[in-house]
Amino acid sequence: MEKEDKGQIFALCVENKDSEDLEKRKIYQVLPDEEAEKDGYLRVIDESGEDYLYPRSYFVLVQLSREAQEALRVAL
């Protein structure tokens, strides 16, 4: 995954198999974790409010405008 230094990283959930703390079609904040990425995982702040590793295939990374990032930051 390419590093974002101009804001936060977000991902759209497209799969939540066996993951009660993920909702499909919802956007989640992704935390940088190079080791997890090497193994095919993303570190995501899920519905529990904590960060956990999930398969990268469960998400599509999205680029959001600064305004959208700020709106999500307030909502999350």
Side-chain angles (χ1 to χ4, degrees):
M1 178 172 61
E2 205 168 294
K3 292 198 176 211
E4 291 277 338
D5 60 353
K6 294 183 178 180
Q8 297 180 330
I9 303 168
F10 292 94
L12 174 68
C13 178
V14 294
E15 180 58 68
N16 62 352
K17 183 178 178 184
D18 299 326
S19 302
E20 295 179 5
D21 288 325
L22 292 177
E23 294 181 25
K24 286 184 180 178
R25 297 182 303 273
K26 188 168 181 179
I27 294 176
Y28 292 92
Q29 184 177 355
V30 178
L31 300 179
D33 187 331
E34 291 183 16
E35 291 300 316
E37 292 173 28
K38 289 177 185 174
D39 293 331
Y41 291 90
L42 290 178
R43 183 168 299 281
V44 173
I45 299 177
D46 65 16
E47 295 299 317
S48 72
E50 300 292 327
D51 62 287
Y52 291 98
L53 296 177
Y54 291 101
R56 170 71 175 83
S57 61
Y58 284 18
F59 301 93
V60 174
L61 294 179
V62 294
Q63 291 185 338
L64 302 175
S65 67
R66 289 259 181 222
E67 293 83 10
Q69 289 183 34
E70 184 59 30
L72 281 174
R73 193 176 356 260
V74 171
L76 296 177

